[in-house]
Amino acid sequence: MVLSVNQLIIIFILALILVCLLLLGSKKSRYLPKNIRHQRRITKGEAVLERINKIIAEHHESLPAVLGYLRKIDPLVFEELLLSSFQRQGYKIKRNQRYTGDGGIDGHVWLHGQMYLVQAKRYKDSIKAEHLKEFAQVIAKHQARGGFFIHTGTTLAKAKSVLQQHPEIKLLSGQRLVDFLRCL
């Protein structure tokens, strides 16, 4: 079977359209290069930050509404949201090149020239004391000044006890998290 030039052109155009749809139009971003997927998460983090400030403006009691919203977003977008919030507040940040295998570090932030690590947990339930102990070890291993453990869950007495033993860990949760995310 011999195809005409016009038929070959049509097949080529259809193949090109299919490739474009796979790369750009698909909701599944796994076909996109990592740097584009990373940038999309940063952009989504910025959009979430705007949505949170809208929730704060609309609700007198914004804490339950904001935490409920945060618990529904993608965990990787949550990480980007936090780093973007640090950046908006004028702090230097460093994003990870990848999200998996990060060694318990979701980002870096510099306060007054000192490096702090960021650990983000988008939880509905309570954080575990073990998570805080592991984070303290990561902080020591990387010789950071301290770290921000940021979560959307609750902090039970056992976890609070670990925090007292590790003053280098700054906890951001509940109303402090909402206040941190509020754009000035």
Side-chain angles (χ1 to χ4, degrees):
M1 170 184 196
V2 177
L3 298 175
S4 70
V5 173
N6 287 341
Q7 290 172 324
L8 288 172
I9 291 172
I10 290 172
I11 291 171
F12 176 76
I13 291 172
L14 289 174
L16 189 59
I17 290 171
L18 180 62
V19 168
C20 288
L21 287 174
L22 286 174
L23 291 177
L24 302 174
S26 173
K27 288 188 178 183
K28 294 183 179 180
S29 62
R30 68 176 179 236
Y31 300 109
L32 297 172
K34 283 184 180 180
N35 62 335
I36 293 175
R37 287 185 299 205
H38 195 75
Q39 186 58 46
R40 279 190 175 180
R41 287 192 183 110
I42 293 169
T43 303
K44 285 180 183 178
E46 291 287 331
V48 167
L49 195 53
E50 290 175 21
R51 175 71 181 125
I52 286 170
N53 280 281
K54 187 175 179 182
I55 292 170
I56 291 170
E58 292 173 353
H59 292 82
H60 178 65
E61 292 291 324
S62 59
L63 178 62
V66 171
L67 290 180
Y69 177 70
L70 288 174
R71 289 173 182 151
K72 293 177 185 175
I73 66 172
D74 181 285
L76 303 178
V77 172
F78 181 61
E79 291 177 18
E80 291 301 338
L81 160 73
L82 299 173
L83 293 172
S84 293
S85 192
F86 275 112
Q87 195 170 35
R88 279 188 174 195
Q89 294 179 38
Y91 298 108
K92 178 185 169 195
I93 63 162
K94 178 183 170 193
R95 288 183 161 86
N96 292 344
Q97 294 297 316
R98 57 189 180 151
Y99 293 102
T100 57
D102 59 18
I105 303 170
D106 295 326
H108 300 72
V109 63
W110 280 262
L111 286 95
H112 312 292
Q114 301 285 328
M115 181 181 68
Y116 288 78
L117 305 179
V118 176
Q119 176 62 249
K121 297 286 185 194
R122 191 194 53 93
Y123 282 170
K124 292 180 182 171
D125 297 322
S126 303
I127 59 165
K128 296 182 175 20
E130 294 78 35
H131 291 140
L132 294 166
K133 290 176 185 175
E134 290 169 5
F135 189 48
Q137 292 172 350
V138 170
I139 291 169
K141 178 182 173 185
H142 290 274
Q143 299 177 346
R145 177 75 171 127
F148 290 95
F149 192 93
I150 308 170
H151 73 93
T152 59
T154 55
T155 310
L156 298 179
K158 239 183 186 180
K160 288 179 182 178
S161 174
V162 172
L163 287 168
Q164 288 177 345
Q165 296 168 16
H166 294 282
E168 71 275 15
I169 299 176
K170 310 297 181 218
L171 184 70
L172 280 178
S173 64
Q175 189 61 50
R176 289 184 67 199
L177 174 57
V178 173
D179 293 341
F180 173 73
L181 295 174
R182 180 177 289 138
C183 292
L184 304 173

